[in-house]
Amino acid sequence: MKKGCDKISHLLSDAFDRKLSWVERIEVKIHLSMCSLCHSYAQNINMMHDIFSYIRHTDMSENSQLSKLKKLEIQKALKDQCDD
Amino acid sequence: MIEAMNAESWLNEHGDYLYRFALSRLHDEDIAADMVQEALLAAWRGKERFKGESSLRTWLVSILKHKIIDHIRKEIRQRKINDALENDPSSQFFSKSGEWEMNPRTWYDDPEKCCDDLKFRLVLKECLSRLPEKQRRVFELRELSGDDTEDICKACDITSTNLHVLMYRARLSLQTCLQKHWFRGSST
């Protein structure tokens, strides 16, 4: 039985979060070779994944810093804990 | 090792990094800063457990991660955020026989160029904000923060099957929203 696009799109998403079984991978491959819509969907969610990875890496290298006030507060809390 | 055992140097050398790590997961400056404080205090209390097998930063991040997971779990429980599994949006994307109702069209844009475009960022933010809250939290932890599925399941109190369903629905909705409002794509 040929699986519908709803099932295949689910598997395409799962592939980012778990390892697909051998059978599932074959199923996806065969379906994609015949279905241009799922093929487009696969490309688009790959691109979304790339977009989020890019944002993740640029956001982490941005210069958000702890405020001076918060640093003093943490320093004090650490000092109090050391004194106990 | 001696230098590493100085609480103030931990704060000075790793505080801002830990803060950015927390901020990328919590999106709230005050809560992120509080998490850093809690993590540093806990790390200092348990400093004997730091064996130097990993770098100090890696060890501090692992403690911070636990603090963040606990925080998210408490928040989800307290606010009873449980919107996610009840309404199944996939019916709006597919016909009863499982064929696409809203045809995806291939996007050919460059991901980096998109991200550098502030207008694209706004559209992306808007599309994310339209997701049901729990779905959005899970999706952001996974895709924006790059957390392990196991950690996310713990934080959000869900099974791995739930996680797959939530990620699937989020990707479907986002793909459709972005296609509608940004990528025009080309049909094949």
Side-chain angles (χ1 to χ4, degrees), chain A residues 4-6 9-10 13-14 16-18 36-38 40-41 43-45 47-52 54-56 58-60 62-66 70-71 73-75 77-78 81-82, chain B residues 8 11 15-17 19-21 33-34 37 41 44-45 94 98 100 103-107 109 111-112 115-116 120 124 139 142-146 149 164 167-168 171-172 175 183 188:
Chain A
C5 299
D6 51 349
S9 60
H10 204 323
S13 168
D14 282 9
F16 288 98
D17 306 308
R18 69 175 174 90
S36 63
L37 293 176
C38 284
S40 291
Y41 183 71
Q43 275 182 282
N44 294 351
I45 60 172
M47 180 156 154
M48 276 184 351
H49 184 71
D50 290 345
I51 286 172
F52 285 114
Y54 182 75
I55 293 177
R56 172 160 85 235
T58 47
D59 282 1
M60 269 309 272
E62 263 172 26
N63 287 330
S64 322
Q65 289 181 338
L66 282 168
K70 188 68 192 178
K71 272 190 180 154
E73 191 188 323
I74 297 177
Q75 247 169 26
L78 281 165
Q81 191 171 271
C82 292
Chain B
E8 212 174 306
L11 175 62
D16 290 330
Y17 180 86
Y19 175 63
R20 285 195 289 277
F21 184 94
D34 287 345
Q37 175 165 353
L41 288 172
W44 187 250
R45 278 195 302 274
F94 297 99
W100 287 99
N103 292 354
R105 295 189 300 268
T106 310
W107 307 338
D109 306 55
E112 288 187 18
C115 296
D116 294 336
F120 172 76
L124 183 63
F139 184 83
R142 181 76 184 135
E143 287 284 66
L144 272 174
S145 315
T149 53
H164 297 143
M167 292 299 291
Y168 169 55
R171 286 191 177 103
L172 268 179
Q175 201 267 168
F183 298 108
T188 41

Side-chain angles (χ1 to χ4, degrees), chain B residues 146-158:
Chain B
D147 280 341
D148 292 340
T149 53
E150 210 179 307
D151 287 342
I152 300 169
C153 288
K154 255 190 251 163
C156 301
D157 238 343
I158 52 173

Side-chain angles (χ1 to χ4, degrees), chain B residues 24-56:
Chain B
S24 77
R25 282 149 180 83
L26 297 161
H27 311 290
D28 180 305
E29 292 173 2
D30 293 334
I31 298 173
D34 287 345
M35 290 295 112
V36 173
Q37 175 165 353
E38 277 191 33
L40 283 172
L41 288 172
W44 187 250
R45 278 195 302 274
K47 58 185 180 296
E48 283 75 26
R49 285 198 294 278
F50 176 62
K51 305 275 188 246
E53 285 155 358
S54 55
S55 74
L56 178 63

